[in-house]
Amino acid sequence: EAGVVQSPRYKIIEKKQPVAFWCNPISGHNTLYWYLQNLGQGPELLIRYENEEAVDDSQLPKDRFSAERLKGVDSTLKIQPAELGDSAVYLCASSLGLGGLGTDTQYFGPGTRLTVL
Amino acid sequence: AQSVAQPEDQVNVAEGNPLTVKCTYSVSGNPYLFWYVQYPNRGLQFLLKYITGDNLVKGSYGFEAEFNKSQTSFHLKKPSALVSDSALYFCAYAGNNRKLIWGLGTSLAVNP
């Protein structure tokens, strides 16, 4: 079974430029998550989708970040414009179930390492 | 506040020796606890989880963890460490709305 796929793996951009990250979750997984991870720290949730609905985007900086999950499968996370402080690893994860308690395992992709110069 | 704590930033063990990576939790309700490992430049890999039932949970790569309700702990263990186990280990708790509450991570170094 294929895991969570993310692209690109690495991205270097100059500040104020736009950038987009793509995620393809494990087939059949209904819930998709985007996380931000700074070096040596745990992930921080940006947004969670159940199918195509964003059910938790409270930590997403909506002035510059946007996300979509059209058709409830693939997802794209965008930053426009990027700032120096956005340099981090952006992780996508997926899990099988919907709603309820968080007992489902979240499976993570390899991440996209963003460097903003 | 609900949280998990990893009291050690770094753990060093010799290859072949048993290893323990500590995690304690402070949560209300049922504690759903997870361990993940992160190798350099790679995403997080799921090791094991405790939902209910047997307090000793067996996971991937020979790791296991023991849920101890009286000590509010969920320590990760392995009987014999390998150099390849060197990585960053995260304990996490599944909070409300599927939100994982993460510890700060413990860097494990296994010395040959």
Side-chain angles (χ1 to χ4, degrees):
Chain A
E1 179 182 87
V4 176
V5 179
Q6 290 187 248
S7 69
R9 290 294 311 278
Y10 304 90
K11 189 73 176 180
I12 301 173
I13 61 172
E14 295 187 347
K15 63 181 180 181
K16 302 186 180 180
Q17 294 300 305
V19 65
F21 313 123
W22 175 81
C23 174
N24 180 246
I26 293 173
S27 178
H29 279 197
N30 297 296
T31 302
L32 183 146
Y33 314 75
W34 282 104
Y35 287 91
L36 176 154
Q37 185 180 27
N38 289 305
L39 187 65
Q41 298 184 22
E44 302 170 28
L45 180 69
L46 290 172
I47 190 169
R48 175 171 66 91
Y49 282 92
E50 291 187 359
N51 294 320
E52 65 275 6
E53 182 182 359
V55 296
D56 183 357
D57 63 356
S58 57
Q59 301 303 310
L60 189 72
K62 298 181 184 64
D63 57 335
R64 297 185 300 107
F65 286 65
S66 64
E68 60 183 12
R69 191 185 184 198
L70 300 176
K71 301 181 181 179
V73 181
D74 294 2
S75 178
T76 302
L77 178 69
K78 298 179 181 178
I79 308 175
Q80 182 171 11
E83 297 180 351
L84 295 176
D86 296 331
S87 295
V89 176
Y90 292 83
L91 296 167
C92 179
S94 69
S95 64
L96 183 62
L98 294 169
L101 300 172
T103 56
D104 277 2
T105 299
Q106 295 183 26
Y107 295 92
F108 286 78
T112 297
R113 181 177 298 276
L114 174 67
T115 301
V116 182
L117 302 176
Chain B
Q2 301 184 105
S3 65
V4 291
Q6 295 181 241
E8 300 162 317
D9 292 336
Q10 180 151 350
V11 171
N12 294 291
V13 298
E15 186 175 28
N17 283 1
L19 70 86
T20 298
V21 183
K22 296 180 180 178
C23 174
T24 59
Y25 64 90
S26 175
V27 303
S28 58
N30 295 318
Y32 303 126
L33 298 161
F34 298 75
W35 275 104
Y36 284 82
V37 60
Q38 189 169 33
Y39 299 100
N41 298 315
R42 299 190 52 188
L44 289 146
Q45 296 181 31
F46 169 72
L47 283 177
L48 50 81
K49 67 181 178 183
Y50 173 81
I51 304 300
T52 187
D54 195 348
N55 289 342
L56 184 62
V57 180
K58 293 189 180 296
S60 305
Y61 313 122
F63 284 93
E64 60 188 26
E66 185 171 8
F67 173 71
N68 188 317
K69 188 172 183 178
S70 63
Q71 297 185 9
T72 63
S73 67
F74 189 55
H75 300 333
L76 182 71
K77 299 181 180 182
K78 187 173 183 180
S80 179
L82 301 172
V83 173
S84 58
D85 292 329
S86 299
L88 190 57
Y89 290 80
F90 289 96
C91 179
Y93 155 70
N96 296 330
N97 297 320
R98 298 178 168 275
K99 192 167 185 175
L100 281 178
I101 312 298
W102 296 85
L104 295 180
T106 298
S107 178
L108 173 67
V110 181
N111 307 306

